[in-house]
Amino acid sequence: MQIIVFCVFFLFSLTIKSQAKIPVGKKRIIDSLELVLKNSKEDTNKVITYYHLCVNYTAFDPDKALRIGDQALKLSEKIKDKKGESNVLFAFGNVYNVLGMPDSVIYFHLKALELRKEIKWKKGIAASNGNIGQGYIIRGDFQNAMKYCLESARIAEEIRDTLMTASAYNNLGLVYKGIQDYDKALIYFNKALDMKKRKANMKNPLDVKSLANTILNIGIIYDFDEKDLIAKRYYEDALRKFTEIENPQGQGLCYNNLGGVYYDLGDYQSAIRANQKSLAIKESLGDELGIASSYINLGADYFALKDIKLAKENHFKALDIILKNGLREERVTLYDAIAKDFEGEGDLKNALLYRKKYEAIKDSVLNVERSEQMTEMQTKYDTELKDRRILEQNSQIKEEALKTKQKETQRNAFIGGFILVIGMAFFIFRGYKQKKQSLVELSEKNKIIEEKNKDITDSINYAQRIQGVILPSPEISPDFLSETFVIYKPKDVISGDFYWYNKKNDRKIITAADCTGHGVPGALMSMIGTAFLNEVVNEKGIVRPSEILSELRNKVKTSLKQTGEVGESKDGMDMALLSFYEGNTKVEFAGANNPLWLFTKRSGSWEVIQYTADKRPIGYFMGKSLPFTNHEIDLHKGDVLYIFSDGFADQFGGPKGKKFKYSQMKEILLLMIEHQLKDQKIQLESTFESWKGKLEQVDDVCVIGIRI
């Protein structure tokens, strides 16, 4: 008999037990996060970075992940960051899942769920419900598993999160598999697979892992249905995907289940090779329960080849682990297998001993589980009732003590206060007369200043609302460009940096601009720039970047009456502007002082190509009206483009209070280039805040990232 392992897909990350080699791609991510943490000053940013480090270490060094997570938990509790605290508890739940401790899995995810409900974070609530359901799946409590998995699916559908809905369907498939309704299990797994194929980003290792998990589970359903060749095809497909993203847990599961298929097909030597590969991976990960399942499978393989000595040796190795972890169902399997081993050796005494153990535990497993559940519920009820009574008694005692203490305090305070008042009255009265007149005068002046400040603040806040209405949403629709981020951080309430995007004919145009100054003057220029872009692109239909910049320059010079005379306005703007062709296979770029960075992997490894901007602004420049250079660039799938103002690179901070600089900005982007852009945005913002520390922000910041 072979043990087939189902893949339970967690909505975030899975963990393992012991340290393993970290792949190069993952090492880059960890290095970039540790750099961010090193420069972090604010506690909130430290919690975020600690959490991401915990998630990234869990698959390779869970002990370190737990230590880092503990730091994040303490810090989040200290600063009352409930979302950060819930994320760390969630990560702990995933750690204990792979450690084979379902009670701890459920405990930590329930704790995370409580906090997420408190802050009304629906996506987090859906994720926690899903992982609690998975904990109950591991425990074999499919009634509770069904309840939490259905709730996860309901919320995921409500918030229209396709990938989370797919994950919830995957979990429901596991529940139906657990209650042996394989037809319904297959329906839910195929629903999940269809959604993941439509929405998954195949450059994202987490999406690839999720897809591979569901493919693996479909293979297992066909395996249970004795359609071995179909199952083998799904297992091999899943194995290719897990190998592509260097995911050892997934590879171990696939080899384990391929061993089962080979066993069923009678190819025992291939089964042994597959199970030995699975065992080697699980040993490198310290996955004790996985190691036990490999020993059970190898025992079955050797028994089929009539090598009873090796069969018994592997079965007893598995039994040691199973007994240590207190697992019942696996003991049923092992007692049966070991009885057969002794029968094969002719040792009927020991064969009878293990046959009796097998019969004794087989019928009691379900009854014991039900009894334990009832005992647990009764204990919980009794404990809650006892705690409530103790709390009521303590409350009464504290209330009486408080009343007595209040009376004593009031009496002593009255006596002491009376003496103090008499002693100080004379001095206060004398000082009062002297200060009264000056306070009246100061109060009148302060009132005038407060009124003026209020008028100024109201005007700036109103300008912020106007600017907010004029600017497009920073959340760019995937229908416009599939994967993007916008970082927009005004130095003051309103900003001289701005971003703009729109579609005209078959072109998608997007820009990041930096106007002269910041605050109110910069904001006025940004509104002028936005208005002129709407006119030049939307009304005049100009879509070539160099021509757009030239037309903008003419309009700025005309509207601000710039002729080069002494004392007149020298206001203008720097800009990087992109115009994408339909299908995003080509883009045109032109820049006024601000460049374009293109990160590409065309030569096999990531490199940065900088397209230099023309060294002149949009506005008056030494009496010259030279044309702007137009760059035509062929794009490849996976290329990442960045345009930006100078605010990020010019920020002072770090241990020596120096500028961040463009060179360091490039290095940070290169370290995180494989990340999803939404994660890049979080890490860049965290890096900026950590670098800035307690120093003042020196300029407005605008950064736009686009993945093809």
Side-chain angles (χ1 to χ4, degrees):
M1 178 181 178
Q2 295 273 304
I3 301 293
I4 299 173
V5 181
F6 249 71
C7 191
V8 181
F9 172 60
F10 273 62
L11 301 176
F12 288 79
S13 66
L14 284 170
T15 60
I16 53 160
K17 192 171 181 180
S18 68
Q19 188 170 353
K21 184 178 178 182
I22 302 175
V24 175
K26 183 66 71 174
K27 184 71 167 58
R28 280 186 178 178
I29 295 171
I30 289 172
D31 288 345
S32 69
L33 287 168
E34 289 181 334
L35 179 62
V36 169
L37 182 63
K38 184 178 178 182
N39 294 313
S40 290
K41 304 296 182 186
E42 299 298 324
D43 286 343
T44 304
N45 296 327
K46 285 183 179 179
V47 170
I48 294 169
T49 310
Y50 274 134
Y51 166 72
H52 284 292
L53 274 170
C54 174
V55 169
N56 281 281
Y57 267 118
T58 49
F60 307 98
D61 191 349
D63 290 337
K64 187 166 185 176
L66 287 171
R67 290 196 301 273
I68 291 170
D70 190 55
Q71 290 176 282
L73 188 62
K74 289 175 181 175
L75 190 55
S76 62
E77 289 173 341
K78 175 186 171 185
I79 64 174
K80 295 181 171 57
D81 177 6
K82 291 187 177 180
K83 186 173 183 180
E85 185 181 349
S86 79
N87 284 337
V88 179
L89 292 167
F90 187 94
F92 282 169
N94 292 346
V95 172
Y96 286 107
N97 168 65
V98 181
L99 295 178
M101 300 169 66
D103 291 337
S104 295
V105 172
I106 295 165
Y107 171 83
F108 280 102
H109 285 304
L110 281 170
K111 287 287 185 184
L113 180 61
E114 287 174 12
L115 288 171
R116 291 172 173 189
K117 283 182 175 179
E118 190 175 334
I119 61 177
K120 298 179 181 178
W121 181 24
K122 284 196 172 182
K123 186 170 183 176
I125 292 168
S128 291
N129 273 293
N131 282 16
I132 293 165
Q134 292 158 1
Y136 281 116
I137 290 170
I138 299 168
R139 262 179 45 173
D141 183 350
F142 297 108
Q143 184 175 352
N144 274 314
M146 178 72 80
K147 180 178 75 174
Y148 283 98
C149 290
L150 284 172
E151 181 65 1
S152 175
R154 184 190 68 77
I155 298 171
E157 289 167 352
E158 179 184 315
I159 63 177
R160 298 183 178 179
D161 190 317
T162 304
L163 288 178
M164 186 169 285
T165 303
S167 299
Y169 286 165
N170 187 82
N171 294 337
L172 285 167
L174 293 172
V175 174
Y176 280 110
K177 175 265 170 186
I179 60 176
Q180 300 182 0
D181 189 340
Y182 299 132
D183 289 337
K184 282 189 179 177
L186 195 58
I187 288 170
Y188 275 101
F189 286 139
N190 278 316
K191 281 184 177 181
L193 182 63
D194 180 59
M195 287 181 169
K196 290 175 184 180
K197 282 183 175 178
R198 284 189 286 109
K199 289 291 183 178
N201 175 7
M202 299 309 291
K203 296 291 184 182
N204 182 349
L206 289 177
D207 284 5
V208 176
K209 183 174 76 172
S210 170
L211 183 63
N213 286 337
T214 301
I215 292 169
L216 177 59
N217 286 339
I218 292 173
I220 292 166
I221 294 298
Y222 283 116
D223 205 343
F224 274 90
D225 202 25
E226 298 182 358
K227 296 178 179 177
D228 297 319
L229 294 177
I230 299 175
K232 179 173 174 286
R233 189 169 71 244
Y234 276 94
Y235 292 155
E236 288 171 342
D237 187 13
L239 178 60
R240 282 191 293 271
K241 288 179 169 54
F242 283 126
T243 303
E244 175 187 331
I245 60 172
E246 298 180 305
N247 185 285
Q249 301 98 315
Q251 291 172 291
L253 292 173
C254 290
Y255 282 125
N256 183 93
N257 294 357
L258 279 168
V261 168
Y262 285 126
Y263 178 90
D264 292 337
L265 292 171
D267 187 352
Y268 303 121
Q269 292 294 348
S270 293
I272 289 170
R273 285 193 293 271
N275 281 314
Q276 285 174 337
K277 287 180 180 179
S278 178
L279 176 62
I281 291 171
K282 290 165 184 175
E283 285 178 335
S284 73
L285 299 176
D287 178 3
E288 284 198 346
L289 301 184
I291 292 169
S293 72
S294 290
Y295 281 139
I296 293 171
N297 291 344
L298 284 167
D301 296 333
Y302 285 118
F303 186 86
L305 289 173
K306 303 189 185 307
D307 190 336
I308 306 301
K309 181 181 177 182
L310 282 175
K312 191 170 67 172
E313 180 183 314
N314 280 280
H315 283 146
F316 272 107
K317 286 180 180 179
L319 184 61
D320 287 342
I321 297 170
I322 295 304
L323 291 174
K324 184 173 75 174
N325 286 277
L327 300 175
R328 294 187 185 87
E329 291 186 14
E330 288 76 5
R331 281 160 61 189
V332 175
T333 301
L334 275 168
Y335 287 151
D336 180 48
I338 292 170
K340 290 177 180 176
D341 291 340
F342 281 119
E343 286 171 8
E345 283 185 330
D347 186 345
L348 299 181
K349 180 181 177 181
N350 279 316
L352 180 60
L353 172 66
Y354 279 92
R355 182 61 58 195
K356 287 180 178 178
K357 288 185 177 185
Y358 166 74
E359 294 295 340
I361 196 171
K362 182 180 69 171
D363 295 330
S364 68
V365 166
L366 188 59
N367 290 332
V368 169
E369 287 182 352
R370 287 175 179 168
S371 175
E372 285 183 349
Q373 289 172 4
M374 292 299 293
T375 302
E376 183 182 348
M377 290 173 66
Q378 183 64 46
T379 302
K380 185 178 179 182
Y381 172 76
D382 291 342
T383 302
E384 288 180 352
L385 184 62
K386 183 179 178 182
D387 289 346
R388 191 159 58 247
R389 287 173 177 168
I390 291 170
L391 284 172
E392 288 171 357
Q393 291 171 359
N394 288 342
S395 178
Q396 289 174 359
I397 293 168
K398 286 179 181 178
E399 189 176 346
E400 292 298 326
L402 184 61
K403 285 178 181 178
T404 303
K405 190 173 181 180
Q406 283 175 342
K407 287 178 181 178
E408 291 177 357
T409 303
Q410 287 169 359
R411 184 189 64 220
N412 294 337
F414 176 78
I415 295 169
F418 181 76
I419 294 169
L420 184 63
V421 167
I422 293 297
M424 295 184 65
F426 171 75
F427 298 102
I428 293 172
F429 181 73
R430 186 177 66 181
Y432 170 75
K433 277 195 167 185
Q434 294 172 349
K435 293 183 179 179
K436 182 177 180 182
Q437 185 59 37
S438 59
L439 286 172
V440 169
E441 292 173 1
L442 183 61
S443 176
E444 289 175 353
K445 290 178 181 178
N446 284 341
K447 187 176 180 181
I448 294 169
I449 293 169
E450 285 174 3
E451 288 175 353
K452 288 183 177 180
N453 283 342
K454 185 177 184 301
D455 290 341
I456 293 169
T457 303
D458 289 345
S459 297
I460 292 173
N461 288 335
Y462 186 67
Q464 182 192 32
R465 289 196 293 272
I466 293 172
Q467 191 173 43
V469 170
I470 291 173
L471 289 177
S473 169
E475 302 297 329
I476 300 175
S477 169
D479 294 333
F480 185 78
L481 289 167
S482 59
E483 189 183 359
T484 60
F485 74 72
V486 175
I487 294 175
Y488 177 65
K489 294 177 71 67
K491 176 186 183 298
D492 304 307
V493 178
I494 47 182
S495 175
D497 285 8
F498 73 93
Y499 58 92
W500 180 93
Y501 57 88
N502 209 345
K503 186 172 183 179
K504 184 65 179 178
N505 301 328
D506 62 341
R507 296 289 192 96
K508 287 172 280 190
I509 299 163
I510 186 166
T511 185
D514 181 358
C515 299
T516 305
H518 44 75
V520 174
L524 290 172
M525 278 301 300
S526 76
M527 293 178 194
I528 291 171
T530 302
F532 286 163
L533 276 167
N534 285 324
E535 182 181 341
V536 171
V537 175
N538 297 338
E539 296 179 18
K540 292 191 175 183
I542 299 173
V543 295
R544 187 175 173 84
S546 58
E547 294 175 9
I548 293 173
L549 297 193
S550 294
E551 187 67 20
L552 284 174
R553 178 176 58 195
N554 294 337
K555 288 190 167 295
V556 168
K557 288 168 65 178
T558 301
S559 64
L560 299 181
K561 298 181 173 59
Q562 294 178 339
T563 60
E565 293 183 9
V566 176
E568 72 177 12
S569 164
K570 295 294 188 294
D571 293 329
M573 62 190 79
D574 298 335
M575 181 178 287
L577 189 142
L578 300 169
S579 178
F580 289 89
Y581 284 75
E582 193 71 35
N584 301 332
T585 57
K586 182 185 287 189
V587 68
E588 291 183 338
F589 161 73
N593 285 326
N594 289 351
L596 161 68
W597 290 349
L598 171 64
F599 286 66
T600 186
K601 208 174 181 181
R602 299 170 198 182
S603 61
S605 60
W606 286 101
E607 60 178 327
V608 186
I609 302 172
Q610 176 166 316
Y611 291 89
T612 305
D614 294 304
K615 297 299 180 184
R616 47 185 173 274
I618 294 171
Y620 182 83
F621 179 67
M622 299 173 61
K624 298 178 181 179
S625 294
L626 298 173
F628 288 94
T629 306
N630 203 73
H631 301 267
E632 292 190 4
I633 306 163
D634 291 325
L635 298 174
H636 297 258
K637 189 172 178 60
D639 286 352
V640 187
L641 300 87
Y642 298 95
I643 52 177
F644 39 82
S645 66
D646 58 4
F648 198 109
D650 285 350
Q651 179 60 45
F652 288 97
K656 297 182 180 179
K658 293 186 175 182
K659 281 188 177 182
F660 193 84
K661 294 186 179 180
Y662 287 111
S663 57
Q664 188 174 193
M665 187 175 172
K666 274 184 187 176
E667 289 174 7
I668 292 292
L669 289 171
L670 192 59
L671 283 170
M672 63 177 71
I673 195 65
E674 299 280 1
H675 297 205
Q676 284 187 300
L677 291 189
K678 63 181 181 181
D679 295 329
Q680 287 191 24
K681 178 180 179 180
I682 293 169
Q683 292 172 36
L684 281 172
E685 289 176 331
S686 178
T687 299
F688 183 83
E689 291 300 325
S690 298
W691 181 263
K692 178 170 72 70
K694 294 182 179 180
L695 296 181
E696 182 183 356
Q697 184 174 328
V698 299
D699 199 359
D700 303 315
V701 174
C702 182
V703 183
I704 299 175
I706 304 159
R707 192 187 298 276
I708 303 303

